[in-house]
Amino acid sequence: MSTVSSSTSASTATQVSNAAASQSSLTSSYDTFLTLLTTQLKNQSPDDPMDTNQMTQQLVQFSSVEQQVSMNKNLETLISLQQTSQLTSAAPMLGQTVEISSDQLSLQNGAAQIKLPAAGQAQNAHVTVSNSVGRTLYEEDVALGSSSQTWSWNGKNSSGVQQSDGTYTVSVSGTDASGQAATVDYSVLAKATGLERDGTTLNLKSGSTSYDFADVVSVNSTN
């Protein structure tokens, strides 16, 4: 099921609450100041009137702070609208296969995939899938070819036992023609099932796995 949702982290909620409290306090202080100022003006002595320069400076200071608070509220509104726009713009990705720069492997309906590069310095790759506590479930050696290729995992461990759908960790090490260690750049492939805004971060959901939207490399719309 594809979903588009928005959630706010605890820290973000606290910041919003503090900002609202600060604004409420400022508004109350500003109203109190105006009340006192008006009372002073009404009851000032004709022989000793209030210093107009001092009064003007105080008014300017309070007005400046009030404008800053108003500007911050407008900025918060613009940021919220931008994030909502990001969710809407990303909605067409739902149901598509997305390439992501991550080591988190999403097993959905008993299948998961990663993308391996073409052979370069590394001629062979060793793929390892681990569970959430770091225990190795499955390993496989793959010969790299002249072009990039997709490696698939059927969700079974080395003993042939099917694992539950969920999030697993994948790592890939490589070796060159002489058997020496070589770096292999890989990415995971996952079906986008949802989008979620968590505070200021936009996340892509693939089953129970969550990816930072900034880590998305490409989208395959030919499903």
Side-chain angles (χ1 to χ4, degrees):
M1 178 179 180
S2 299
T3 60
V4 179
S5 62
S6 173
S7 64
T8 305
S9 64
S11 60
T12 303
T14 300
Q15 293 174 355
V16 172
S17 177
N18 291 340
S22 298
Q23 181 183 352
S24 177
S25 176
L26 177 63
T27 301
S28 176
S29 298
Y30 187 70
D31 291 341
T32 301
F33 169 76
L34 290 179
T35 300
L36 290 173
L37 180 62
T38 302
T39 302
Q40 285 179 317
L41 289 174
K42 288 181 179 179
N43 297 281
Q44 65 180 329
S45 171
D47 298 327
D48 186 22
M50 179 182 291
D51 187 341
T52 56
N53 289 330
Q54 182 181 3
M55 180 183 69
T56 301
Q57 289 176 1
Q58 291 177 339
L59 283 172
V60 169
Q61 290 174 353
F62 268 82
S63 178
S64 176
V65 174
E66 186 182 36
Q67 289 175 2
Q68 289 177 3
V69 171
S70 178
M71 183 180 296
N72 287 340
K73 285 185 61 180
N74 291 335
L75 285 174
E76 290 174 1
T77 299
L78 287 174
I79 291 173
S80 178
L81 289 173
Q82 182 183 30
Q83 292 173 342
T84 300
S85 177
Q86 287 178 327
L87 281 174
T88 303
S89 299
M93 294 174 57
L94 298 180
Q96 307 301 331
T97 297
V98 183
E99 180 183 354
I100 307 163
S101 177
S102 174
D103 63 354
Q104 297 300 290
L105 190 63
S106 176
L107 183 65
Q108 291 180 275
N109 300 318
Q113 294 181 320
I114 66 172
K115 183 178 179 180
L116 295 173
Q121 181 180 0
Q123 297 292 310
N124 299 283
H126 183 76
V127 183
T128 303
V129 178
S130 306
N131 61 14
S132 59
V133 296
R135 184 167 65 87
T136 298
L137 298 175
Y138 184 79
E139 297 178 276
E140 185 176 326
D141 290 315
V142 182
L144 300 179
S146 58
S147 61
S148 61
Q149 61 180 295
T150 298
W151 177 84
S152 300
W153 181 46
N154 61 6
K156 295 181 179 180
N157 64 13
S158 299
S159 300
V161 178
Q162 183 67 47
Q163 305 300 297
S164 302
D165 282 1
T167 304
Y168 296 85
T169 300
V170 61
S171 61
V172 181
S173 59
T175 54
D176 60 19
S178 62
Q180 298 298 310
T183 301
V184 176
D185 295 323
Y186 67 96
S187 54
V188 299
L189 300 175
K191 184 177 181 179
T193 59
L195 299 165
E196 180 181 64
R197 193 180 75 192
D198 182 9
T200 58
T201 302
L202 182 61
N203 295 324
L204 173 72
K205 302 286 291 185
S206 177
S208 62
T209 310
S210 182
Y211 300 101
D212 190 326
F213 196 79
D215 292 330
V216 174
V217 176
S218 65
V219 180
N220 180 3
S221 59
T222 59
N223 291 346

